[in-house]
Amino acid sequence: MNKKQKKNVKVLTGVLAVTAGMVAAAASHASPVFAHANSDANGKFLPDFATFAEEKEYAGNLNVKIMEESIVLLKNKDDALPLAKGSAVSLLGIRSYEPVVGGTGSGGSAGSYVTLSESLTDAGFEINGSMQSFYSSHRHTAAISRGMGSSNSAVVVDGPVSELAEVEDSISLYDDVAVVTIGRVGGEGADLFRTSQSAPDLAVLNADATKHVLQLFDNEIDLIELAKQKCNKVVVLLNTANVMEVAELEEDPDIDAILWIGEGGTTGLAGVGPVLNGDVSPSGRTVDIWPANFKKDPTWFNFGDNSQNNTYDEETKTWSTTYSNSIKTSLVTDSTVASGNKYSLEEEENIYMGYRWYETAAADGVLDQLDIYESAKGTIPADKAGDVYYNRSTGVVYPFGYGLSYTEFEQEIVSSEAEIQAAINGVTNLDEKVQVKVKVTNVGDVAAKEVVQLYIHAPYTSGGIEKAEVSMVSFGKTQLLKPNKSEVVTLDVRAGDLASFDYNDANHNGFSGWELEAGAYELRLQDNSHEEITHLSLTLTAKEFKEDGTVATGLAAADNYNWFSQGDDYDTLLPIK
């Protein structure tokens, strides 16, 4: 594996948010996001800073810190990163010079921002100035997101790679590393298109009209190929808040490293350089699953107007309209509500979304049942030891909670099975917490921070309460650990996160609501949602929780509580016993 493995692994994220990794805000010893507020005798809050300039400087520095701790290192072939200071770098791609710094609508970021060129220069790299000048005068746009009122929003995109001919020779002077930046932006009032049938510009960007916007565009693929030909190392930066379809980048042996840097806000990109040169070891983690093929994810078939399920005729170059507006329906007749048809969506996936689907499907053998799920199983990378979870048709490229480091760590649960089992069996409220201690040791040679993740594996009965194979129940982060240093991280596990919600009394015990079924549980310490390090085996007693969170005593009809709102016409109410 490319990853520096933990030695005891069994198998295998506003201007202040970068949305790349899940753990910066969860650091056990992280700096507070805001200074402590002051108030006068009347309770009026007073500013913590003497001037707005001071406050802005504080916020900007904090943003850089968040970026440094949130960047996710997705690939690092043969320890290609960190790069040596002084390396000559060619920044390629329009998003290297016009990066995505925020989303749309209220999620946008206005004003000037720190650029990647500035970040890498400050980090000690030599930057190709000719390429920077080229991109300032070669700018293309395409309508690849849907704006308010279903109008199309134009965003900057890369032009044909042939345009680079006039400056291509300059790459040879800065050929230590090519840094290629891929950007996507969507958000409030600007959803991303799923096919070119509703976004004509996608057909211009891709020869294959069925490709969606979160795949690489043809010009981006050509640009990466140029980088591979011209430079000794190729590093790809994913400048987006979205998960993308990147199996081809992961498997390309000529791409040395991939980092998910999210959206940097006005100052966040200043944190990219220190990660590339090794001053900071990346410690961010993925906040969702990264599927190999979005079109095989269950949610693909049940999203928006369902037009993505139409078929494309290669001969006539036309789309069918079988599913156009097929779920458009009049939801309400109340005159106080805006008139007109609204799109509706029935969330048929139940709890099985994201990692909960993929982990459960893999454990239950669904990814192997090709006659049910897929006609041909995708290839499995050689370093995945035949694990069908990683197959490139229906499987996963990067699990939830995944991220690499420049060093190696070992983790072990310090708390005993008997201690944790007794504590959980003794809880009397959904919000009660049980503490689990995990020792983390840096066994590598680079100072870094590590993420600790706990998951629960609960007993499942076919036809009973739906439960995923694993569900995350707590996570945390160490301080900066120098080589050979350790830290015990204390994680709070909320009782309600161990329980399951039985909305229809699926287990026929006369109770509907949150409950902890009796049986054998595993509290798993994992590297991510798929790769286990170790676990505690627990035998837990049954508990049912009332609407106020306390444990129900007995299962009389009076204890069958209504957990659902009755406040408006849109609720689906269950019968109340």
Side-chain angles (χ1 to χ4, degrees):
M1 296 178 67
N2 293 331
K3 177 178 180 177
K4 290 191 170 182
Q5 285 276 26
K6 292 177 175 61
K7 293 184 178 179
N8 55 353
V9 171
K10 291 184 177 178
V11 276
L12 4 183
T13 188
V15 300
L16 299 183
V18 287
T19 65
M22 76 176 181
V23 287
S28 298
H29 304 276
S31 302
V33 176
F34 299 105
H36 291 293
N38 301 313
S39 60
D40 60 18
N42 297 320
K44 179 180 179 181
F45 285 102
L46 303 174
D48 294 303
F49 303 91
T51 65
F52 174 71
E54 291 180 6
E55 183 176 8
K56 185 176 181 180
E57 180 181 12
Y58 176 87
N61 291 335
L62 175 61
N63 194 28
V64 176
K65 177 71 172 176
I66 293 174
M67 173 63 87
E68 290 177 346
E69 294 210 21
S70 298
I71 287 176
V72 184
L73 180 59
L74 297 172
K75 178 181 181 179
N76 194 22
K77 179 178 179 287
D78 298 331
D79 296 332
L81 298 181
L83 302 171
K85 294 180 180 179
S87 295
V89 177
S90 288
L91 283 169
L92 301 179
I94 188 63
R95 286 303 185 182
S96 291
Y97 302 95
E98 293 189 41
V100 180
V101 296
T104 65
S106 57
S109 182
S112 60
Y113 52 83
V114 174
T115 67
L116 276 173
S117 294
E118 292 169 335
S119 179
L120 270 62
T121 298
D122 290 344
F125 299 112
E126 299 293 328
I127 305 301
N128 185 339
S130 296
M131 198 62 65
Q132 188 168 357
S133 298
F134 167 82
Y135 277 104
S136 67
S137 59
H138 292 73
R139 190 176 187 275
H140 299 266
T141 62
I144 59 171
S145 65
R146 191 189 305 275
M148 300 293 288
S150 298
S151 61
N152 294 341
S153 299
V155 298
V156 294
V157 296
D158 284 296
V161 71
S162 58
E163 292 184 350
L164 283 167
E166 61 186 86
V167 289
E168 189 174 317
D169 289 346
S170 70
I171 300 178
S172 62
L173 303 176
Y174 297 85
D175 63 354
D176 290 338
V177 187
V179 174
V180 184
T181 307
I182 307 297
R184 297 291 186 272
V185 60
E188 180 184 3
D191 290 340
L192 294 172
F193 288 110
R194 298 177 296 288
T195 65
S196 62
Q197 59 184 309
S198 49
D201 281 352
L202 277 186
V204 176
L205 296 169
N206 294 308
D208 181 354
T210 68
K211 290 177 70 172
H212 57 77
V213 75
L214 292 176
Q215 293 177 270
L216 294 178
F217 300 142
D218 292 349
N219 289 342
E220 293 170 337
I221 295 174
D222 293 343
L223 186 63
I224 292 173
E225 287 299 316
L226 177 66
K228 288 158 55 176
Q229 296 168 16
K230 297 290 184 178
C231 294
N232 298 321
K233 289 183 179 181
V234 178
V235 177
V236 177
L237 304 182
L238 301 179
N239 175 209
T240 176
N242 299 92
V243 168
M244 291 188 66
E245 198 171 298
V246 294
E248 60 195 297
L249 300 181
E250 171 62 27
E251 295 177 2
D252 191 331
D254 296 323
I255 294 178
D256 299 279
I258 308 171
L259 300 99
W260 186 27
I261 66 172
E263 301 171 350
T266 54
T267 62
L269 293 179
V272 176
V275 170
L276 290 177
N277 71 14
D279 286 347
V280 175
S281 179
S283 59
R285 297 292 185 268
T286 56
V287 296
D288 204 346
I289 210 82
W290 287 59
N293 186 342
F294 286 15
K295 296 179 181 180
K296 300 299 170 57
D297 184 281
T299 60
W300 178 266
F301 306 97
N302 189 30
F303 182 79
D305 62 3
N306 276 351
S307 61
Q308 70 272 21
N309 297 313
N310 291 326
T311 56
Y312 183 73
D313 189 315
E314 285 285 353
E315 183 176 344
T316 64
K317 305 298 182 183
T318 59
W319 288 88
S320 72
T321 57
T322 306
Y323 292 99
S324 294
N325 302 324
S326 63
I327 61 170
K328 202 171 187 181
T329 180
S330 181
L331 292 178
V332 293
T333 57
D334 192 325
S335 61
T336 62
V337 180
S339 61
N341 291 334
K342 309 296 179 185
Y343 287 112
S344 64
L345 174 65
E346 183 178 353
E347 296 183 353
E348 299 174 329
E349 298 81 16
N350 200 286
I351 67 170
Y352 300 108
M353 299 180 70
Y355 77 90
R356 292 176 180 85
W357 159 252
Y358 287 95
E359 302 306 335
T360 308
D364 288 356
V366 174
L367 299 183
D368 281 317
Q369 298 174 18
L370 305 185
D371 57 327
I372 296 175
Y373 191 55
E374 176 60 304
S375 59
K377 183 169 60 180
T379 58
I380 302 173
D383 64 346
K384 299 305 181 182
D387 189 349
V388 71
Y389 175 86
Y390 288 107
N391 89 83
R392 292 317 194 215
S393 177
T394 62
V396 171
V397 179
Y398 306 120
F400 169 84
Y402 171 88
L404 306 180
S405 175
Y406 294 156
T407 191
E408 300 176 5
F409 292 95
E410 289 181 346
Q411 299 185 25
E412 60 179 312
I413 301 176
V414 177
S415 305
S416 70
E417 286 182 344
E419 173 189 357
I420 299 304
Q421 179 174 292
I424 296 174
N425 283 333
V427 300
T428 60
N429 193 288
L430 275 173
D431 291 323
E432 196 168 334
K433 295 179 176 63
V434 173
Q435 291 190 331
V436 180
K437 298 183 183 298
V438 177
K439 182 181 179 181
V440 183
T441 303
N442 185 343
V443 296
D445 51 14
V446 175
K449 296 183 178 184
E450 173 68 325
V451 177
V452 182
Q453 304 177 46
L454 279 179
Y455 296 78
I456 193 70
H457 169 75
Y460 173 72
T461 301
S462 180
I465 306 173
E466 294 294 340
K467 299 172 186 175
E469 170 68 8
V470 292
S471 295
M472 172 175 272
V473 294
S474 190
F475 64 97
K477 198 175 194 180
T478 68
Q479 293 179 319
L480 185 69
L481 291 179
K482 295 181 179 180
N484 301 314
K485 295 299 181 180
S486 300
E487 179 184 343
V488 174
V489 178
T490 300
L491 300 179
D492 289 332
V493 179
R494 178 179 169 272
D497 293 330
L498 301 172
S500 302
F501 193 74
D502 185 7
Y503 75 94
N504 63 348
D505 192 19
N507 60 0
H508 306 296
N509 68 347
F511 184 87
S512 294
W514 287 104
E515 55 184 290
L516 194 64
E517 289 191 299
Y521 289 72
E522 289 181 358
L523 187 62
R524 297 179 179 177
L525 179 64
Q526 301 201 174
D527 199 26
N528 50 62
S529 64
H530 190 64
E531 301 172 352
E532 181 184 325
I533 300 172
T534 188
H535 69 264
L536 299 181
S537 297
L538 309 172
T539 301
L540 303 184
T541 56
K543 293 181 185 294
E544 294 79 29
F545 297 92
K546 299 187 293 186
E547 191 174 0
D548 63 2
T550 60
V551 174
T553 55
L555 295 175
D559 289 321
N560 205 331
Y561 293 88
N562 173 36
W563 283 81
F564 299 88
S565 168
Q566 301 179 63
D568 57 53
D569 295 335
Y570 308 108
D571 289 329
T572 299
L573 301 178
L574 297 178
I576 301 173
K577 296 181 181 179

